[in-house]
């Protein structure tokens, strides 16, 4: 084959080379997940159910209602965000790092006609999709317990996707910079756990000193819980554009930075 | 098929690739040889568009790299130095999932799988998990995976490192099949017998610079005397100082062995007759001798 006909053949290939290439990466991760479906479903369903029922009944029976809301309803709507955050972070940290460093999966993908952006966006979308499953599982449990107000609660699904994208993107930034798994423990213990405590997941953030309350506004989780709680159990919803805007900014900015960092890391 | 001119790449203060140029015509097997750290892998990475050179131009499969590297890789297969197979998938699944990255449908991949498994000698292992495969099988599967898009050019980074002789010969055999089909191969290796066996042309690089480039046989004829006598045993140093330089065009003592390169070994062999304690091995010069002459015997770690 001469180079001229080769170039011609290549331009014929152009249609397959579009911006949806990241789907191949999502699909690869989905196929692996499907193989481990048993443990995956236990993680998605049993785990939040035990937390919700355990904490909700145990602790909830000791507590008065919170702003007219039963503790179970308060906790459930917080757990929705918390478990999406957890699941997206775990996927973007430990699992993505395994594919980057241990299994060299990304390296293999990049030998094909794929780019770093395709790989990182694929991981980002996958982390958020998988995290949404955790959210949907809790939503189902809450519906079964009669805690969901109406079908309007389904509006929470796009919010959960945004939460997953925001935390998935942040996790991928940490992964791009990580030398080993150790740093992930710091990220979880020193950033995500404190963030959870000041963002109104398990108790109303208003309990905390004003200054802490303001600091919490910088982080995405408080905006996620505000939106989610309003949509699912009907607490007053205000500042919808602001909450959404913060989540969108976190989601988009984090993935852009993650792509840049992974490009830098792999170009060496 | 691949053309590299005036390639430069520096990391910090270190010139990893310096003004490197070479051409690989279609259908040839081209070997990049050099000691560890010579810049072989960096050169390959530049050719595939994974590392951006500081200067120089590269054309791969008719396209400029790195600008259109992604499209060029549509027609390229790569066997990396380290195992990158997907441990969560079976042998067949590895091929299908990889084919998707080239935009191939599952149906198209499945149609290609039996031929690829046959090529890799893995038909019996179609549904085996990766951890069940031996090192040689993994390398052959990686080669089969690199063929999923029916590439015109194959890049192999040390394709037989870590394999036993049986496995190496099988890989060589498969690479020869690919060359017979008219494909182009670019490989790096530090096994000189491998390069001599497979490559139409080899380039020897060291410290990022091209030292020489030619057909292996031509290099041996041009760069080195045709016969090598290796001498070792009790008192080799004494014998070396007395006779080696007198009867060979070039001689060196490396550890306990004297290497004497000569056109006519007879006078040298005569000096050994009275020294039964010395053992001598007389052989034809090979690519390894050329390599050691040009890059030296110092360790590169």
């Amino acid at each position: 084959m001469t180079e001229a006909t080769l170039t011609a053949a290549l331009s014929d290939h152009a249609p397959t080379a579009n911006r949806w290439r990241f789907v191949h990466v999502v699909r690869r991760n989905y196929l692996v997940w499907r193989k481990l479906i048993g443990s995956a479903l236990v993680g998605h369903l049993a785990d939040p159910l035990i937390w919700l029922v355990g904490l909700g009944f145990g602790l909830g029976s000791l507590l008065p209602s919170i702003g007219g809301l039963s503790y179970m309803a308060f906790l459930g709507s917080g757990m929705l965000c918390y478990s999406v955050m957890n699941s997206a972070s775990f996927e973007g940290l430990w699992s993505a790092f395994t594919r980057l460093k241990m299994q060299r999966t990304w390296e293999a993908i990049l030998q094909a006609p794929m780019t770093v952006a395709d790989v990182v966006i694929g991981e980002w979308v996958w982390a958020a999709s998988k995290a949404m499953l955790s959210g949907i599982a809790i939503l189902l449990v809450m519906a079964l317990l009669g805690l969901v107000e109406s079908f309007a609660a389904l509006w929470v699904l796009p919010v959960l996707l945004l939460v997953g994208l925001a935390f998935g993107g942040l996790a991928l930034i940490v992964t791009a910079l990580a030398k080993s798994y150790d740093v992930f423990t710091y990220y979880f213990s020193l950033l995500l756990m404190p963030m959870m405590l000041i963002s109104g997941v398990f108790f109303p953030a208003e309990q905390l000193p004003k200054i802490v309350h303001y600091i919490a506004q910088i982080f995405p989780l408080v905006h996620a819980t505000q939106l989610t709680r309003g949509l699912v159990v009907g607490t007053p919803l205000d500042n919808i554009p602001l909450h959404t805007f913060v989540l969108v900014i976190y989601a988009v900015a984090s993935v852009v930075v993650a792509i840049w960092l992974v490009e830098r890391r792999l170009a060496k | 098929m691949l053309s590299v001119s005036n390639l430069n790449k520096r990391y910090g203060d270190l010139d990893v690739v310096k003004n490197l140029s070479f051409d690989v015509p279609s259908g040839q097997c081209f070997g990049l040889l050099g000691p560890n750290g010579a810049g072989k892998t960096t050169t390959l990475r530049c050719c595939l568009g994974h590392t951006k050179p500081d200067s120089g131009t590269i054309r791969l499969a008719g396209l400029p790299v790195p600008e259109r590297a992604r499209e060029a890789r549509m027609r390229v297969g790569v066997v990396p130095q380290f195992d990158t197979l997907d441990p969560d998938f079976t042998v067949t699944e590895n091929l299908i999932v990889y084919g998707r990255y080239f935009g191939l449908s599952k149906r198209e991949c499945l149609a290609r799988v039996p031929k690829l498994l046959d090529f890799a000698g893995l038909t019996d292992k179609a549904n085996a998990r990766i951890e069940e495969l031996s090192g040689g099988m993994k390398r052959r599967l990686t080669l089969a995976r690199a063929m999923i898009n029916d590439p015109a050019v194959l890049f192999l980074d040390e394709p037989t490192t870590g394999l036993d002789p049986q496995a190496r010969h099988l890989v060589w055999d498969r690479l020869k099949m690919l060359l017979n089909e008219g494909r182009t191969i670019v490989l790096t290796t530090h096994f000189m017998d491998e390069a001599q066996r497979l490559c139409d042309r080899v380039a020897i690089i060291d410290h990022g610079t091209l030292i020489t480039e030619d057909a292996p046989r031509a290099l041996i004829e041009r760069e080195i005397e045709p016969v090598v006598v290796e001498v070792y045993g009790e008192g080799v140093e004494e014998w070396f100082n007395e006779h080696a330089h007198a009867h060979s065009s070039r001689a060196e003592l490396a550890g306990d062995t004297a290497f004497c390169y000569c056109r006519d070994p007879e006078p040298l062999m005569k000096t050994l007759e009275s020294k039964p304690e010395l053992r001598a091995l007389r052989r034809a010069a090979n690519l390894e001798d050329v390599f050691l002459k040009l890059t030296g015997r110092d360790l590169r770690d």
Side-chain angles (χ1 to χ4, degrees):
Chain A
M1 205 184 313
T2 68
E3 297 212 343
T5 54
L6 236 169
T7 315
L10 275 171
S11 48
D12 288 340
H13 261 297
T16 58
N18 60 37
R19 79 186 80 145
W20 293 100
R21 287 191 304 260
F22 76 86
V23 172
H24 302 315
V25 178
V26 178
R27 193 154 175 191
R28 181 238 163 246
N29 291 348
Y30 163 74
L31 289 173
V32 175
W33 177 83
R34 209 178 57 178
K35 287 192 167 224
L36 311 165
I37 189 102
S39 69
L41 284 184
V42 170
H44 285 314
L45 267 169
D47 216 45
L49 184 69
I50 290 163
W51 273 83
L52 188 59
V53 174
L55 269 184
F57 281 118
L59 203 55
S61 59
L62 299 172
L63 296 173
S65 66
I66 298 169
L69 209 60
S70 75
Y71 183 64
M72 192 84 126
F74 182 91
L75 178 68
S77 48
M79 288 271 311
L80 264 178
C81 292
Y82 170 65
S83 97
V84 169
M85 170 185 96
N86 242 347
S87 173
S89 302
F90 192 89
E91 192 65 25
L93 298 170
W94 278 274
S95 307
F97 190 72
T98 302
R99 295 190 277 271
L100 163 63
K101 182 138 183 200
M102 306 301 147
Q103 301 181 359
R104 294 171 177 268
T105 310
W106 294 6
E107 202 178 302
I109 296 173
L110 291 171
Q111 306 291 7
M114 301 278 285
T115 64
V116 169
D118 298 331
V119 172
V120 175
I121 291 173
E123 291 284 353
W124 180 59
V125 170
W126 165 247
S129 315
K130 188 179 164 186
M132 259 187 85
L133 289 175
S134 295
I136 291 170
I138 297 183
L139 197 61
L140 276 174
V141 171
M142 288 179 71
L144 289 175
L145 294 172
L147 298 172
V148 176
E149 286 283 292
S150 72
F151 277 107
L154 288 177
W155 281 108
V156 81
L157 295 182
V159 174
L160 295 182
L161 182 66
L162 262 183
V163 177
L165 290 173
F167 284 99
L170 290 173
L172 286 167
I173 290 179
V174 179
T175 289
L177 296 168
K179 298 241 186 310
S180 72
Y181 290 106
D182 301 343
V183 67
F184 303 150
T185 315
Y186 293 114
Y187 177 72
F188 248 87
S189 305
L190 300 179
L191 194 76
L192 294 190
M193 284 299 148
M195 189 194 299
M196 178 197 80
L197 289 174
I198 63 174
S199 298
V201 172
F202 290 107
F203 55 84
E206 290 78 16
Q207 304 278 357
L208 297 164
K210 263 271 174 299
I211 175 80
V212 178
H213 192 54
Y214 285 128
I215 292 172
Q217 305 300 316
I218 305 169
F219 298 105
L221 189 59
V222 74
H223 302 280
T225 41
Q226 295 288 325
L227 280 177
T228 307
R229 199 157 276 146
L231 289 167
V232 178
V233 292
T235 47
L237 247 185
D238 40 40
N239 290 331
I240 298 177
L242 172 73
H243 296 319
T244 314
F245 179 73
V246 172
L247 290 176
V248 169
I249 287 291
Y250 264 99
V252 174
S254 63
V255 77
V256 169
V257 173
I259 290 169
W260 179 71
L261 287 172
V262 174
E263 265 171 2
R264 217 182 54 161
R265 176 179 183 137
L266 294 181
K268 279 176 185 158
Chain B
M1 192 55 80
L2 170 68
S3 122
V4 173
S5 56
N6 302 315
L7 184 69
N8 281 285
K9 180 70 193 176
R10 111 191 314 256
Y11 287 126
D13 286 339
L14 188 68
D15 284 309
V16 186
V17 180
K18 252 190 309 201
N19 229 12
L20 187 64
S21 302
F22 59 87
D23 267 289
V24 184
S26 193
Q28 281 212 350
C29 180
F30 186 84
L32 271 175
L33 315 182
N36 283 337
K40 303 186 296 286
T41 300
T42 303
T43 305
L44 283 197
R45 289 183 54 87
C46 288
C47 292
L48 291 165
H50 298 316
T51 296
K52 200 169 177 290
D54 296 329
S55 64
T57 52
I58 301 171
R59 286 186 81 81
L60 172 61
L63 294 170
V65 172
E67 294 80 10
R68 297 182 66 187
R70 197 199 66 76
E71 293 155 82
R73 290 202 299 272
M74 287 297 285
R75 304 292 291 136
V76 170
V78 180
V79 178
Q81 194 172 339
F82 300 100
D83 172 27
T84 63
L85 294 167
D86 222 319
D88 296 306
F89 293 129
T90 66
V91 167
T92 301
E93 286 167 341
N94 257 283
L95 296 174
I96 294 170
V97 169
Y98 206 71
R100 289 223 181 87
Y101 303 138
F102 289 86
L104 298 170
S105 68
K106 186 174 181 179
R107 183 199 299 254
E108 287 170 293
C109 292
L110 276 175
R112 294 177 187 197
V113 162
K115 222 180 131 194
L116 290 173
L117 289 180
D118 182 48
F119 169 78
L122 291 171
T123 306
D124 299 344
K125 298 279 178 187
N127 297 311
R129 284 144 45 103
I130 298 305
E131 62 186 25
E132 296 166 28
L133 303 184
S134 69
M137 290 175 178
K138 283 184 190 167
R139 203 62 61 91
R140 267 142 51 207
L141 178 57
T142 306
L143 182 57
R145 188 182 68 174
M147 299 294 301
I148 190 82
N149 58 323
D150 192 19
V153 200
L154 272 154
F155 284 79
L156 305 123
D157 197 359
E158 300 188 12
T160 63
T161 300
L163 300 188
D164 64 24
Q166 286 81 358
R168 294 178 75 194
H169 277 271
L170 194 49
V171 169
W172 290 338
D173 180 62
R174 292 306 185 259
L175 294 181
K176 281 182 192 151
M177 278 172 65
L178 298 178
L179 287 169
N180 286 337
E181 291 170 10
R183 297 181 211 265
T184 310
I185 291 183
V186 179
L187 63 84
T188 76
T189 181
H190 36 227
F191 296 123
M192 296 304 131
D193 54 333
E194 177 164 289
Q196 203 167 345
R197 217 174 273 258
L198 292 173
C199 296
D200 297 300
R201 290 179 79 76
V202 294
I204 296 181
I205 59 176
D206 198 8
H207 306 296
T209 320
L210 181 80
I211 300 178
T212 187
E213 189 207 317
D214 213 328
R217 189 133 300 282
L219 270 184
I220 296 166
E221 279 168 19
R222 190 177 75 217
E223 297 284 344
I224 207 157
E225 299 73 16
V227 182
V228 184
V229 180
E230 292 181 22
V231 183
Y232 53 100
E234 192 87 22
V236 64
E237 209 175 322
E238 196 185 323
W239 170 86
F240 178 83
N241 291 332
E242 204 173 324
H243 299 288
H245 290 288
H247 299 293
S248 48
S249 12
R250 211 162 53 79
E252 55 188 1
L253 195 61
D256 292 332
T257 306
F259 292 85
C260 307
Y261 303 87
C262 31
R263 303 212 167 276
D264 174 16
E266 291 310 328
L268 191 74
M269 296 305 283
K270 274 210 163 54
T271 69
L272 286 162
E273 279 168 10
S274 59
K275 304 251 180 216
E277 70 277 13
L278 290 178
R279 304 185 60 177
L281 171 71
R282 178 178 156 175
R283 58 172 176 83
N286 59 32
L287 196 57
E288 186 144 328
D289 298 309
V290 175
F291 185 82
L292 288 170
K293 178 188 170 192
L294 297 176
T295 62
R297 287 183 181 271
D298 299 335
L299 276 182
R300 314 290 178 89
D301 285 327

